[in-house]
Amino acid sequence: MSTGVIIALIVVVAVVLVAAAVLALRARGPRHGGSLKRRFGPEYNLAVARHDGDTKAAERELAERVRRHGSLRTRPLEPAERERFVARWTAAQERFVDSPREAVAEADRLLAELAGARGFPDGGQYEEQLTALSVHHAHHVEGYRRVHRATHAGVDGDGAGTEELRASMVEARALFEALTRPGRHDGGGAGRRTGTEGAPAATARPSHTWSLAKRSPKES
C-alpha cells in the first residue's frame, strides 16, 4: 500500500470521527440547561412558559442574559446612602396603610433608583434593568416586576386591588433587602457577597413587613 493511500485513509477516518463527535454533541442538546435552571430558578420556569414550553428557546434567552450581564460588577452603597434608602422604604410601607397605590408606586421608583445606585442599568430602561437584575437576583426579581406592573396598571386603566398591591409590596421587599444588604467588601460586616440571590435577611425594621399583612388599609 502506497504512502498516498495510507494518508488518504487517515484523512477519511479523521473526518468520520469528527462528524461522529459533532452528531453526538447535537444529540445531547445544550449542556448548560441544568446550570441555567439552577441559576435562574423561578425565572427559568417563567422563560419556558413565555416560550410556550420550548426549553431550548428559553435557555437561549437566559444564556443571552448571562452573556450580556453576567460580568456586571455591582458597586457597594455608602452607609449613609443605605440608610437613606432604608428610611424611604420604611416610609413607603407606613404610607401603604392610607395610600396603598402611592406606596406601591414609590416602591417601584425606589427599586429602580436603588438598582441604578448599585450599578445596574438605569431605571429609565426598565426592561434592561429587570433583565440584568434577573441574572444576579433571580429569586427576588419577581417582586420588582409585580410592583412595576401594579403601578402601571393603575395608570393605564384597570388598577390592581388592595390585596394584590399588598402582596406585591411584601414580595418586592425581598429584592430591596438583597440590594441594600452589606456585602463582604462593603465594610458593613454582613459577610455576604453582593449580587447573589438567597434568602432575604432582616433589615432595621422588619416588623413593617408584617404590618402590611395585618392591618387593613383604606382603598384609595
Side-chain angles (χ1 to χ4, degrees):
M1 185 179 293
S2 67
T3 303
V5 172
I6 293 173
I7 293 174
L9 287 173
I10 292 173
V11 171
V12 170
V13 170
V15 169
V16 170
L17 290 174
V18 169
V22 170
L23 290 173
L25 287 173
R26 287 181 178 177
R28 289 169 62 186
R31 299 179 62 185
H32 55 253
S35 63
L36 286 173
K37 191 169 186 177
R38 288 190 297 273
R39 177 169 191 160
F40 282 94
E43 284 292 301
Y44 181 94
N45 296 330
L46 286 172
V48 171
R50 188 164 53 251
H51 287 279
D52 298 321
D54 187 339
T55 56
K56 289 185 178 180
E59 287 170 4
R60 283 195 297 271
E61 176 193 326
L62 296 175
E64 175 61 15
R65 292 192 202 180
V66 174
R67 186 192 69 78
R68 287 163 52 200
H69 302 293
S71 61
L72 183 148
R73 298 294 299 272
T74 58
R75 80 162 186 85
L77 297 174
E78 294 294 332
E81 191 178 20
R82 180 180 293 110
E83 287 301 317
R84 286 194 295 271
F85 278 116
V86 170
R88 288 178 59 190
W89 185 270
T90 299
Q93 289 187 147
E94 292 171 345
R95 187 179 184 186
F96 185 92
V97 176
D98 296 313
S99 304
R101 295 191 192 286
E102 288 80 356
V104 169
E106 171 62 11
D108 180 45
R109 288 190 295 270
L110 185 52
L111 285 173
E113 291 179 31
L114 174 57
R118 292 302 313 274
F120 289 92
D122 183 79
Q125 310 170 58
Y126 167 72
E127 292 295 341
E128 188 73 5
Q129 188 182 70
L130 188 76
T131 297
L133 285 165
S134 75
V135 174
H136 297 270
H137 296 284
H139 289 75
H140 300 324
V141 75
E142 178 63 13
Y144 183 22
R145 187 181 284 119
R146 288 186 67 179
V147 294
H148 189 81
R149 186 166 56 231
T151 297
H152 290 274
V155 171
D156 297 337
D158 297 331
T162 302
E163 290 306 314
E164 162 109 14
L165 294 172
R166 185 191 344 269
S168 67
M169 187 86 171
V170 171
E171 188 171 2
R173 183 182 174 100
L175 179 61
F176 176 82
E177 290 179 339
L179 290 173
T180 54
R181 184 181 303 137
R184 184 170 52 191
H185 303 297
D186 290 7
R192 296 190 185 180
R193 205 174 140 215
T194 312
T196 57
E197 61 274 5
T203 52
R205 300 185 184 181
S207 60
H208 289 302
T209 298
W210 303 112
S211 69
L212 293 182
K214 291 179 179 178
R215 298 174 71 173
S216 299
K218 301 173 184 177
E219 291 286 349
S220 57

